[in-house]
Amino acid sequence: MTVKLYRNARIFTPLDAGHPLRGKEQGRIEEYRRGAILAVNGLIEAIGEENKVLGSLSAYSVNEERDMEGACIIPGFVDPHTHMCFAKRREDEFKMRLDGLPYLEILKRGGGILSSVKAVQSVTEEELFCSTKKLVMAALAKGTTTVEIKSGYGLDLELEMKMLSVIRRISKETPLDVVPTFMGAHAVPAEYKANPDNFVDLIINEMLPKVKGQGIAEFCDVFCEEGVFSVDQSRKILKAAKGLGFEMKIHADEVHDLGGAGLAAELGVRSAEHLLAASEENLRAMGKAGSIAVLLPATAYSLKKPYARGREMIDWDVPVALATDCNPGSCFCESVPFIFGLGVMNMDMTIEEALAASTLNAAYAVSRQQKVGSLEPGKQADFLVLDGETPTALAYHAGNTSVLEVHKLAERVA
Ligand code: NIG
Ligand code: FE
């Protein structure tokens, strides 16, 4: 048994009430001014004000004790939406976008997601593993201790499996907890352009059952967007996925208000992502259905689009989470501290709301709330030591991660 005691720390954490935090709840953060964490075999045994935690100590002989000298501790970040498994960067496209070519136009011309498919095709599984691992470890150093990673640069069974195998290896060979998502419905391959419904059928009849059979993905995600998958096609795919036992996610209303958020509400998906163009009516319906809005402000930044209405969504009682969307196209950013800053500065979220959004609500968005997302007894001792007095430092020290130390299961990993 390994027993570790961290004392004399200023600890900030949301508290898990058994559901994602929404409305006024999202801004409620517990603070232990002179706090302590007692971790047994990587799990939190006790946490709170130091005098109380010390009171519960008699049952244990402590192997390691650390005086944190008043340092600020928060839960490890959960990044609930990434496309970190890719083979090549698309810096040239970024320049094209800066010169005025729209993101969806690049895809229409066979670039964008489709160029990343060619790249995944052209590298070995080992090469794909190495590039993915490098990015995941960079995210870990910036405080991400749990990460969701999507497939979706394969678009056929073999290549999707190649990606999902790499994602599984990342989960085994890095300190992070990894949540795997199947996203065969990320774009329509060129050969199906004339008959996209045939590709939808292929996903439903062949890919989904095989992926499920391998037990290699937990979530199914669809890019519901003009020129990609319609609301009807997305509904078909997600219903089939749900029938097989996948949890559902949807890229909704990123560029156009197609009604993806309305579909999210109708199906009661776990989370709907992007939502830059979503209507108030559909967002409110999502909140009622219990779906989480996963907002990706670094994508709005990188696409030079107006930000999603994070402030309003919280006021409309929609639980909000933050994620990087880290991918080679619309947003090359693995830094949760950066999106935290954008959430506060450009979406008018409070520090407390942004903290809940990047920890507990993000954990709910990937169904990991029982293990991570807040610092409470029974959960993993995944925490960050910040360079600053409070989590405000994350937004205050612009362009800096403010993350000094990363601990996973009570082990220092970065
Ligand atoms: O979430 N919008 C669709 N998928 C990603 C971008 C993927 C890419 O451009 O490679 C996103 O923004
Ligand atoms: Fe995405």
Side-chain angles (χ1 to χ4, degrees):
M1 188 157 74
T2 310
V3 182
K4 295 189 182 179
L5 176 68
Y6 307 85
R7 31 170 224 88
N8 189 16
R10 194 165 172 195
I11 303 171
F12 296 83
T13 179
L15 294 181
D16 194 344
H19 53 78
L21 302 176
R22 58 165 75 209
K24 294 240 177 328
E25 274 183 342
Q26 175 141 11
R28 272 186 218 131
I29 295 292
E30 188 72 21
E31 179 187 347
Y32 307 114
R33 281 218 143 232
R34 186 182 171 107
I37 301 172
L38 178 68
V40 177
N41 293 336
L43 301 182
I44 299 172
E45 178 68 22
I47 179 164
E49 290 298 343
E50 187 178 291
N51 51 5
K52 281 204 187 134
V53 173
L54 294 181
S56 62
L57 210 63
S58 51
Y60 300 98
S61 66
V62 174
N63 305 105
E64 238 180 86
E65 181 176 328
R66 192 164 152 204
D67 180 352
M68 302 306 291
E69 297 170 352
C72 172
I73 284 182
I74 61 170
F77 294 130
V78 178
D79 187 350
H81 179 143
T82 87
H83 309 254
M84 282 189 187
C85 183
F86 61 84
K88 280 200 189 102
R89 298 181 179 196
R90 299 187 340 237
E91 205 169 303
D92 52 338
E93 284 183 8
F94 181 72
K95 179 71 167 61
M96 283 153 74
R97 285 201 284 109
L98 291 180
D99 292 341
L101 198 59
Y103 173 72
L104 286 176
E105 184 57 35
I106 296 173
L107 177 63
K108 231 186 194 167
R109 296 182 187 182
I113 293 166
L114 296 175
S115 84
S116 285
V117 172
K118 284 185 204 119
V120 165
Q121 215 160 17
S122 72
V123 297
T124 63
E125 201 169 304
E126 183 62 27
E127 286 168 329
L128 187 60
F129 172 75
C130 290
S131 57
T132 307
K133 184 176 173 193
K134 197 170 155 198
L135 196 48
V136 166
M137 293 306 284
L140 178 74
K142 294 175 179 73
T144 301
T145 47
T146 298
V147 68
E148 184 256 15
I149 311 179
K150 301 171 199 297
S151 69
Y153 295 128
L155 310 184
D156 71 20
L157 186 61
E158 193 188 333
L159 282 184
E160 288 291 312
M161 281 297 186
K162 179 174 172 180
M163 292 187 72
L164 290 167
S165 306
V166 164
I167 294 167
R168 180 162 60 189
R169 239 185 105 188
I170 294 291
S171 141
K172 291 196 174 135
E173 297 180 33
T174 69
L176 291 94
D177 278 313
V178 176
V179 180
T181 295
F182 168 68
M183 199 174 179
H186 198 191
V188 179
E191 58 275 29
Y192 287 93
K193 234 178 175 174
N195 287 304
D197 281 331
N198 291 353
F199 185 60
V200 171
D201 289 342
L202 183 79
I203 291 173
I204 291 174
N205 299 324
E206 193 187 327
M207 294 199 216
L208 278 172
K210 294 242 167 74
V211 170
K212 189 69 203 170
Q214 296 283 318
I216 204 167
E218 260 173 70
F219 281 84
C220 175
D221 196 345
V222 178
F223 188 12
C224 180
E225 183 54 72
E226 214 169 279
V228 194
F229 295 94
S230 68
V231 169
D232 282 344
Q233 290 169 330
S234 304
R235 181 187 290 109
K236 253 179 104 176
I237 294 168
L238 289 175
K239 275 188 155 176
K242 187 181 178 191
L244 288 167
F246 286 96
E247 283 219 60
M248 299 176 285
K249 288 187 173 293
I250 181 169
H251 281 59
D253 306 326
E254 177 178 0
V255 184
H256 301 97
D257 180 14
L258 270 199
L263 178 63
E266 176 194 321
L267 297 177
V269 301
R270 167 107 356 201
S271 67
E273 343 271 303
H274 288 291
L275 303 167
L276 304 192
S279 72
E280 176 177 344
E281 188 191 343
N282 286 340
L283 288 167
R284 284 185 186 271
M286 260 182 58
K288 289 212 176 74
S291 300
I292 300 167
V294 174
L295 304 184
L296 314 163
T299 311
Y301 167 89
S302 171
L303 292 177
K304 293 192 171 194
K305 297 260 182 209
Y307 289 78
R309 291 179 285 175
R311 169 79 271 129
E312 283 92 333
M313 289 184 212
I314 293 173
D315 295 340
W316 295 335
D317 244 12
V318 185
V320 169
L322 287 167
T324 62
D325 195 21
C326 184
N327 74 75
S330 64
C331 176
F332 185 39
C333 170
E334 75 281 18
S335 170
V336 173
F338 181 63
I339 59 158
F340 188 105
L342 290 178
V344 170
M345 305 306 292
N346 292 20
M347 295 199 300
D348 289 334
M349 294 167 74
T350 65
I351 295 291
E352 292 78 10
E353 288 164 349
L355 185 62
S358 45
T359 57
L360 187 59
N361 278 6
Y364 269 97
V366 289
S367 288
R368 287 294 185 279
Q369 67 278 358
Q370 274 164 7
K371 290 174 136 192
V372 299
S374 59
L375 298 173
E376 295 181 83
K379 291 202 187 190
Q380 294 180 187
D382 293 4
F383 63 87
L384 313 177
V385 180
L386 298 188
D387 178 16
E389 292 163 19
T390 68
T392 302
L394 290 162
Y396 168 60
H397 199 172
N400 189 289
T401 72
S402 292
V403 174
L404 285 181
E405 295 179 20
V406 182
H407 295 254
K408 180 83 184 162
L409 289 161
E411 291 289 338
R412 175 133 187 222
V413 288

